Amino acid sequence: MERAHVDASPRLEPSGEGKKYLTITFGCQANEFDTEVLAGMLESMGYRAAASQDEADLVVINTCAVRRKPEEKVAGLLGRLRAFKEKKQDLVIAVGGCMVQRPAVAAELARRFPFVNLIFGTQALPRFMQLLELAQKSRRPLIDTAGNGGSREGLPVRRSSRFHAWLPVIYGCNNFCSYCIVPHVRGRERSRPFEEIIREAHALAADGYLEITLLGQNVNSYGHDLAEGHDFADLLAELDQVEGLARIRFLTSHPKDLSPRLVEVMHRGKKICEHLHLPAQAGSNRILELMNRRYTREKYLELVATLKKEIPGIAVTTDLMVGFPGETEEDFQETLDLLDEARFDQAFTFIYSPRPGTRAAAMNEELPAPVKRERLQRLVRRQNEISLKINRALVGQAMELLVEGPSKNNPEMLSGRTRTNKLVHFAAQEDLTGRLVEVEITEAYTWYLIGKRV
Ligand code: SAH
Ligand code: SF4
Ligand code: F3S
């Protein structure tokens, strides 16, 4: 952890000395990383991680706004924290992230939960330490939803893993898919300096990290806002040379920007994993157009075919949505057919939920909830059959795993991920967490595989 930046600020006393913090994170990997930055800042102020909620002097909630459900969970959580705060008067509660980047939502939250000390949007992250100090002296919730982000470079990070690291390459999003709140709460695209990313990757490798995941809402648009002229393919090619790293992953790729050069770099790269997460969202051209995705079903399938041809053994995963405004049964059938044609290893499936302020939310053709639920079930069922078939074909193969730790359901087994990002459980006598091992796949299920060490 780097402390220099904090020590350089004379106003920041280590006011967290002797205090414990708890973080609760909703949403995507970008948010997981932001929580690691928040934890880094807190530790540089002297705070230490709490082992349980009861022990916490400070609770930091990092919120997500992408669908209705994670927002409702935050409200539920704050409802429960009300009782805890009544018992523990000097408890400090801070709510940050995507949900509260919107001034109206932040104000409403402050009204409903006046015992919250600090409400800070995504852009306020670099100011978090100062805000926290101020909030503790304020009797009402302190709110910062200003849009002027300021640089995030050099903030301390407390990573939650010793072998896998998130490495953001581009913040924000310019795409404005019509259903999506992310561009509204994460701001415009800002690529991080090329040299800074490379330097950080070397530092992570020197610290023993074996795997990095490059993060961006759309990593494929990396670099277009930089003077240097480097694009994402250049970045990946350069990172592939970093000694000590074993695996490089990246999330998320927008189909409209996936360049032939990127496929070429993935093909040649030694460390770049044979896995691509390529959200399709829908299989109907009419819906894709309404979603403002800027590719067609045909273009998408062509991309998947190219990837499978050029990168043998690649796993392709996707995101799909059902119940977009006005989605007909025919439109939905085209999404089902897309599953058969693309043959995804895995699909993350969502029921569309309107996000206030987005274009789709004004479309006024919301489908009844039972229709959406029924479509989701059919979609999940079809995809599960495909995932199982693909996984069964792996039985008998030898695969490399990066071991993540004891299996969640069976403490006698360890769990790891293949380069294709499949979860594998295997029996082991010793703790191999954080190590690369070879296993042979012996059993296959829809969501995971079983292997034995070779
Ligand atoms: N940047 C990524 C996705 C970020 S959000 C991309 O472009 O693919 C993750 C997923 O949430 C999306 O892929 C989409 O499937 C889903 N999602 C986004 N907005 C949604 C909404 N309003 N309702 C339901 N699902 C949504
Ligand atoms: Fe949302 Fe589209 Fe941007 Fe992804 S690319 S974050 S779905 S607007
Ligand atoms: Fe991620 Fe949710 Fe924000 S998906 S970018 S945490 S709205």
Side-chain angles (χ1 to χ4, degrees):
M1 200 169 59
E2 301 153 85
R3 297 186 59 142
H5 312 281
V6 178
D7 295 341
S9 167
R11 288 192 300 116
L12 284 167
E13 296 301 308
S15 57
E17 220 64 76
K19 293 187 193 162
K20 299 266 173 85
Y21 71 93
L22 180 76
T23 60
I24 301 167
T25 309
F26 296 89
C28 64
Q29 293 84 355
N31 249 22
E32 283 181 36
F33 179 73
D34 285 357
T35 296
E36 294 185 346
V37 174
L38 289 166
M41 291 195 267
L42 289 170
E43 302 229 342
S44 72
M45 293 168 84
Y47 284 90
R48 289 295 167 261
S52 68
Q53 182 185 295
D54 284 338
E55 213 182 84
D57 303 293
L58 165 68
V59 177
V60 183
I61 306 170
N62 196 3
T63 64
C64 169
V66 82
R67 280 172 291 278
R68 196 182 291 135
K69 223 192 244 157
E71 293 201 336
E72 284 169 359
K73 282 192 188 155
V74 169
L77 179 61
L78 285 171
R80 289 193 299 281
L81 281 174
R82 187 194 304 268
F84 184 43
K85 179 128 181 180
E86 272 161 18
K87 271 196 299 179
K88 192 168 183 174
Q89 300 271 326
D90 52 0
L91 177 75
V92 175
I93 299 174
V95 184
C98 293
M99 179 178 166
V100 295
Q101 179 59 39
R102 317 214 77 183
V105 179
E108 169 66 12
L109 211 74
R111 196 189 58 75
R112 274 180 73 192
F113 306 103
F115 57 88
V116 168
N117 301 75
L118 171 62
I119 298 177
F120 63 107
T122 57
Q123 305 300 307
L125 191 95
R127 299 186 286 273
F128 174 68
M129 290 185 278
Q130 289 86 346
L131 289 169
L132 188 64
E133 298 282 285
L134 286 173
Q136 296 186 46
K137 297 184 195 109
S138 162
R139 274 189 291 150
R140 270 179 297 159
L142 180 70
I143 302 181
D144 185 342
T145 53
N148 52 337
S151 173
R152 295 181 43 146
E153 297 304 321
L155 295 174
V157 185
R158 182 182 191 272
R159 296 187 184 274
S160 53
S161 162
R162 302 304 307 157
F163 49 90
H164 168 267
W166 307 115
L167 185 47
V169 301
I170 178 166
Y171 300 113
C173 181
N174 288 358
N175 288 319
F176 288 95
C177 301
S178 65
Y179 50 82
C180 187
I181 196 73
V182 172
H184 303 264
V185 293
R186 287 273 173 178
R188 294 296 70 74
E189 286 175 355
R190 285 135 10 239
S191 299
R192 296 186 58 207
F194 190 85
E195 297 307 331
E196 187 60 26
I197 298 167
I198 303 295
R199 193 194 60 73
E200 233 171 77
H202 279 287
L204 287 166
D207 278 349
Y209 284 87
L210 290 177
E211 183 177 280
I212 57 171
T213 301
L214 311 178
L215 292 181
Q217 292 303 335
N218 176 15
V219 288
N220 303 120
S221 55
Y222 174 80
H224 70 88
D225 54 337
L226 296 176
E228 307 147 331
H230 295 301
D231 68 6
F232 187 61
D234 297 331
L235 183 65
L236 264 189
E238 188 73 23
L239 288 170
D240 198 56
Q241 307 299 316
V242 174
E243 219 157 302
L245 291 180
R247 293 174 166 196
I248 301 171
R249 303 183 182 282
F250 54 93
L251 281 169
T252 299
S253 294
H254 194 302
K256 79 172 165 58
D257 300 316
L258 196 124
S259 68
R261 263 200 65 230
L262 181 72
V263 180
E264 166 69 22
V265 169
M266 284 184 79
H267 168 82
R268 267 187 294 141
K270 296 268 179 300
K271 302 179 173 146
I272 304 163
C273 288
E274 296 76 27
H275 169 226
L276 194 74
H277 186 61
L278 194 66
Q281 311 299 359
S284 140
N285 282 334
R286 194 181 75 84
I287 297 293
L288 285 171
E289 169 113 40
L290 287 171
M291 286 178 162
N292 191 32
R293 288 292 286 181
R294 287 176 281 171
Y295 52 84
T296 60
R297 167 198 185 85
E298 292 73 27
K299 186 86 212 306
Y300 183 88
L301 286 169
E302 202 184 297
L303 252 180
V304 172
T306 307
L307 284 161
K308 290 193 176 180
K309 186 166 126 254
E310 299 296 327
I311 303 152
I314 190 172
V316 180
T317 57
T318 199
D319 289 351
L320 292 164
M321 230 183 284
V322 299
F324 187 81
E327 182 190 70
T328 63
E329 175 60 27
E330 289 70 43
D331 291 323
F332 173 65
Q333 281 295 336
E334 291 198 62
T335 301
L336 275 183
D337 292 347
L338 187 82
L339 293 186
D340 295 332
E341 291 187 48
R343 291 186 58 79
F344 299 113
D345 287 77
Q346 200 178 335
F348 298 89
T349 50
F350 306 105
I351 289 180
Y352 166 77
S353 84
R355 304 285 71 214
T358 61
R359 272 204 290 137
M363 285 180 189
N364 279 335
E365 285 175 275
E366 216 186 321
L367 301 188
V371 173
K372 294 199 246 184
R373 272 203 301 275
E374 195 270 339
R375 284 185 189 165
L376 184 75
Q377 279 173 9
R378 277 194 280 161
L379 191 68
V380 168
R381 226 178 290 139
R382 179 82 63 98
Q383 178 55 41
N384 285 354
E385 289 166 16
I386 297 170
S387 298
L388 183 60
K389 269 197 198 132
I390 293 178
N391 284 349
R392 279 198 176 137
L394 299 174
V395 172
Q397 284 194 25
M399 301 191 113
E400 180 204 82
L401 299 184
L402 177 54
V403 182
E404 293 181 347
S407 153
K408 296 218 167 70
N409 299 321
N410 180 352
E412 277 160 31
M413 307 271 270
L414 291 177
S415 301
R417 297 240 169 216
T418 63
R419 286 174 61 95
T420 50
N421 207 34
K422 299 208 184 249
L423 182 63
V424 182
H425 306 295
F426 66 102
Q429 260 69 55
E430 45 183 330
D431 186 7
L432 300 164
T433 302
R435 304 229 324 245
L436 292 166
V437 300
E438 286 278 315
V439 295
E440 184 192 310
I441 305 303
T442 55
E443 290 171 58
Y445 299 91
T446 306
W447 296 104
Y448 62 93
L449 303 161
I450 302 287
K452 65 164 196 268
R453 274 193 88 187
V454 292

